[in-house]
Amino acid sequence: MAVSANRDLGGLLNSAPEVVVAGERLNAGLLRRFYARHGFAPVWTTRQAEANSLMNAMLRAGEHGLPPELFHANLLRSAATLPPFDRELLLSDAFLSYADALARGVMPIEHRRDDETLTPGPIDIAAALDAAIGSRDPAAAIEALAPTTPTYLLLRRALQTSHGREIEVNLERERWLPRPLPANRVWVNVADERLVLYRDNRPVFSTRVIVGQDERLKQSPELQTTIDGIWFNPPWNVPQDIAANEILPKVRNDPNYLARRNLVMLPDGTLQQRAAPNSALGRLMFAMNNRFDVYLHDTPDKRLFRRDNRRISHGCIRVQEPREFAALLMQEPIGMINQGIAAGGTERVKLQTPVPVFVVYQTAFVDDRGALQFRPDFYQRDAEIWQQLQKNPLGRGALAAK
């Protein structure tokens, strides 16, 4: 009997391009990795207590803003009536998919928009389920894969009394973040149009920022990188699309346009604005390497920070108090920042310790006083996540297959 079951499981998972049980598509890749750890032998026939513990946890997925129906809940509520082979695979797929959703989100990075790039570190979900099975409390071991940030915990509490677009979606966004978050970090919430610097997980500096416009191609992306240096008196290499679409058409009508704005054409064809008090980047730029070429910087137009709607850039992020921010990052008196700027030359100063920076889009979050805040979804990103969270199990299996 056991040999036959091993052969059936191994043959099915190693040969079938997809696995469908009781009309629901399963995650063949995760199942293959899980059962390979068990010699493709059935797991749950001898682990009924563990299965019950994990089943109860999965049926409470709604406490994380996850509909249990994403994990075959409708079928598994009557699991005793299923053929043993079907029940075995459905249980494993449900537990693996639930663990994966808690650890990486229902929408892992490979299935999100190109500019939603935040992701936790790699995790072996098959090994995580194995560890849960071998623990004293399998349910607690699986639940431990979820985030424990103040925002996640407070959103979960809020979910007990109210439901909306905002709570479930932002719980999902929290699951996209590394665990644990670096204790020292720069946090830019585009939806809040604000930057916060944390040290030892405590906010020590907060300032307004200007972020990307609502137009799809000009939105600020969600990303993680590091600030490893600061440019004093930086020139601005104008992005090609801005040069072609916004500057060069004006030059054709006004031959003096470039000179008046201190713009020059470099030998390689790049349009550059030289460093000056009225340069677009202001006096400081915070170097943070990323494929979107988005960075934090100063701006000469300080009046813009008085606006309620500060979504007016091409994606880069302008900082209201850049000198104070630079002093904190360099751990130097602000007078030294002022001296570096007054020297007038373009200089890149390397940070002694690079600082992680997160650019996030949280329409529900905990502020630096511990209060739950909500912001409008100006970029209209919430709906896509909400729809994915509501998908039926067939859709979940198709999404997760990898």
Side-chain angles (χ1 to χ4, degrees), residues 32 35 49 52 54 121 137 147 151 164 168 183 211 216 227 276-277 287 315 363:
R32 191 177 301 115
Y35 279 103
N52 291 340
L54 291 167
D137 189 342
T151 290
E168 287 92 339
V211 298
R216 175 71 179 85
I227 297 175
T363 53

Side-chain angles (χ1 to χ4, degrees), residues 247 250-263:
I247 296 179
K250 295 175 181 176
V251 173
R252 287 192 284 270
N253 297 322
D254 181 1
N256 295 318
Y257 183 89
L258 294 183
R260 283 203 314 275
R261 285 161 176 78
N262 208 19
L263 288 158

Side-chain angles (χ1 to χ4, degrees), residues 110-183:
E110 58 266 28
H111 298 291
R112 290 189 238 135
R113 289 166 39 150
D114 181 64
D115 56 3
E116 295 174 331
T117 64
L118 292 166
T119 184
I123 181 169
D124 187 335
I125 296 298
L129 180 57
D130 258 355
I133 294 171
S135 71
R136 291 185 176 181
D137 189 342
I142 288 295
E143 295 285 327
L145 296 172
T148 57
T149 61
T151 290
Y152 195 82
L153 297 177
L154 197 56
L155 285 172
R156 283 192 67 187
R157 286 201 292 273
L159 197 61
Q160 296 174 11
T161 56
S162 62
H163 292 265
R165 200 165 222 208
E166 299 95 339
I167 296 177
E168 287 92 339
V169 165
N170 286 282
L171 282 167
E172 172 71 1
R173 286 196 175 105
E174 288 288 299
R175 292 187 285 264
W176 298 352
L177 297 173
R179 311 246 234 279
L181 287 171

